[in-house]
Amino acid sequence: MNLSKLDEILKSAPVFRLAQAKKAVFFDLVEDWSKATTISKDLREKLRKEVPLEIKGKILVSKNGRTVKAALELEDGLKIETVLMKHTDKRNTVCVSSQVGCPLGCLFCVTGTMGFKRNLTSSEIVEQVLFFARYLKKDKEKITNVVFMGMGEPFLNWENVKKAIEILNDDNCFGIGARKISVSTAGITEGIERLAEDFPQINLAISLHAPDDKLRGELMPVNQKYPLEKILKSVDEYIEKTNRKVMFEYVMLKDVNDSEEQAKKLAKRLKYPLYMVNLIAYNPNGRFESSSPERIKKFKAVLEKAGIFATQRYRFGTDIEAACGQLAGK
Ligand code: SF4
């Protein structure tokens, strides 16, 4: 689906036509223009040819039914993965990809090992949410949250991610509130600045994963250009402008970054009222092992003792390789 083409085709038509077409796509969730009966037959035919609504995708559902992974095929044949997480409190979160592959090559991440193929267009990003909105329609459920934590680094494709966020947030499209949308970055400081300017209400998450530059540099090559001090300075400026809390993601790798000493080091670095830490149980993919639940508990306790707000993320979809760092466009 090419949303800019939709705007282009309808630009000389009365304004309500575009609103009707968007309602058909985003509210009625039609999968075929022939079902958009508020639109004239001729126009439907034109749209059918020029803005097809089909999204090619295959899904895998986890055993407990709460995680659904979709492999979507793009127009050029490349594939991306996107994940729906159904929470027990009725929230439905889509974890979207922003690039095909990723150029940053973090060692613990399967996407990183694929290399980088290309940026996704804004329509390709929105399509991931649309795919799951259609999937949930049968149960009369809706998408409530979107996180940019799938394949790719969102700030390296900011113009398209920005356009996609505008569509997700637009009341004539999905109408998902800005505070229900989160962008996660490996620490691209220019992107953090842009987020504060463009969308001060949107949540920011930082993939940190190590308490010092030495280890972070070994795990995440991007740390050479964006070391911890630079990132934290940028985060502080972001907080000054937006007064929003910031989440630091920390994936727990056995005997790599999970010792008590490392927890103390991290606590020292992250002692700031608007910082939060989210500990993520790692999903082993060959190179690293995951920390034991006891180790994670101890690590969390050290942070909390130091006055840091810390949470532990529920591990979604490990059985279908839909969890953090496991998306690979297979
Ligand atoms: S963790 Fe994120 S930034 Fe790092 S390689 Fe994977 S997708 Fe890219």
Side-chain angles (χ1 to χ4, degrees):
M1 186 189 54
N2 186 336
L3 283 170
S4 23
K5 206 149 186 203
L6 184 65
D7 289 335
E8 200 185 299
I9 291 173
L10 294 174
K11 81 169 177 260
S12 51
V15 189
F16 72 89
R17 278 270 172 269
L18 183 61
Q20 274 177 334
K22 284 188 174 169
K23 181 178 175 294
V25 175
F26 296 107
F27 283 88
D28 306 334
L29 301 168
V30 297
E31 296 183 31
D32 178 339
W33 285 110
S34 67
K35 305 262 168 39
T37 46
T38 50
I39 297 172
S40 73
K41 211 170 164 200
D42 287 353
L43 182 55
R44 272 189 268 158
E45 193 47 29
K46 189 175 167 68
L47 292 173
R48 190 182 67 78
K49 283 191 194 134
E50 297 191 33
V51 193
L53 292 178
E54 186 197 9
I55 304 173
K56 282 189 200 157
K58 286 195 180 129
I59 59 164
L60 262 182
V61 183
S62 67
K63 279 189 209 125
N64 66 9
R66 286 175 54 198
T67 312
V68 185
K69 179 166 80 166
L72 304 186
E73 189 179 329
L74 308 173
E75 256 176 44
D76 56 6
L78 289 174
K79 291 198 179 77
I80 50 163
E81 293 187 342
T82 176
V83 179
L84 169 69
M85 292 164 283
K86 301 179 80 181
H87 306 266
T88 44
D89 58 4
K90 292 269 174 210
R91 279 178 306 128
N92 291 309
T93 301
V94 182
C95 174
V96 294
S97 295
S98 53
Q99 299 181 309
V100 187
C102 182
L104 299 187
C106 303
L107 254 56
F108 49 81
C109 172
V110 178
T111 309
T113 60
M114 285 172 67
F116 172 67
K117 306 256 165 50
R118 70 168 172 85
N119 281 331
L120 292 178
T121 65
S122 54
S123 296
E124 287 168 337
I125 296 170
V126 171
E127 256 175 29
Q128 299 171 52
V129 181
L130 189 56
F131 181 87
F132 282 125
R134 290 176 182 174
Y135 175 85
L136 289 174
K137 188 181 167 187
K138 62 179 185 334
D139 301 324
K140 296 196 173 63
E141 285 189 52
K142 287 189 170 170
I143 305 295
T144 57
N145 299 62
V146 174
V147 294
F148 284 81
M149 293 185 185
M151 299 163 72
E153 162 57 55
F155 288 144
L156 293 182
N157 183 20
W158 184 240
E159 286 312 315
N160 290 334
V161 169
K162 183 181 166 190
K163 222 182 283 166
I165 291 176
E166 282 163 0
I167 296 168
L168 296 173
N169 191 223
D170 182 352
D171 283 337
N172 287 319
C173 298
F174 278 111
I176 298 172
R179 288 179 180 240
K180 304 269 169 75
I181 301 174
S182 306
V183 174
S184 173
T185 176
I188 311 292
T189 52
E190 297 83 354
I192 298 172
E193 279 166 34
R194 291 292 306 272
L195 186 72
E197 276 163 33
D198 295 338
F199 301 112
Q201 300 294 316
I202 281 188
N203 306 305
L204 170 68
I206 307 287
S207 292
L208 203 73
H209 311 312
D212 57 59
D213 282 317
K214 188 176 176 297
L215 179 60
R216 194 167 190 269
E218 284 165 21
L219 297 172
M220 303 174 76
V222 69
N223 196 69
Q224 264 193 359
K225 188 164 176 200
Y226 299 99
L228 282 175
E229 212 177 299
K230 189 170 174 176
I231 296 173
L232 293 180
K233 185 170 172 273
S234 170
V235 168
D236 290 346
E237 284 163 9
Y238 167 90
I239 291 176
E240 224 167 85
K241 278 190 198 145
T242 63
N243 201 27
R244 304 294 315 279
K245 286 183 180 161
V246 173
M247 176 72 83
F248 290 88
E249 308 279 350
Y250 195 98
V251 70
M252 298 293 294
L253 307 169
K254 185 180 172 196
D255 299 333
V256 176
N257 65 356
D258 64 347
S259 72
E260 216 173 309
E261 204 183 303
Q262 284 162 320
K264 282 183 189 156
K265 220 178 195 181
L266 186 69
K268 232 183 199 171
R269 268 217 128 113
L270 297 188
K271 200 157 168 53
Y272 189 91
L274 291 177
Y275 286 1
M276 300 178 292
V277 178
N278 189 22
L279 302 175
I280 305 165
Y282 183 63
N283 307 290
N285 58 26
R287 201 168 205 155
F288 299 99
E289 286 177 54
S290 60
S291 308
S292 65
E294 300 74 49
R295 201 39 105 83
I296 300 177
K297 220 170 137 190
K298 234 188 221 165
F299 199 93
K300 186 166 174 257
V302 172
L303 295 179
E304 286 172 337
K305 199 172 163 210
I308 298 197
F309 182 78
T311 54
Q312 194 199 327
R313 188 193 291 172
Y314 172 78
R315 210 181 335 190
F316 271 97
T318 36
D319 56 329
I320 55 168
E321 295 186 355
C324 257
Q326 287 191 326
L327 301 188
K330 277 189 262 180

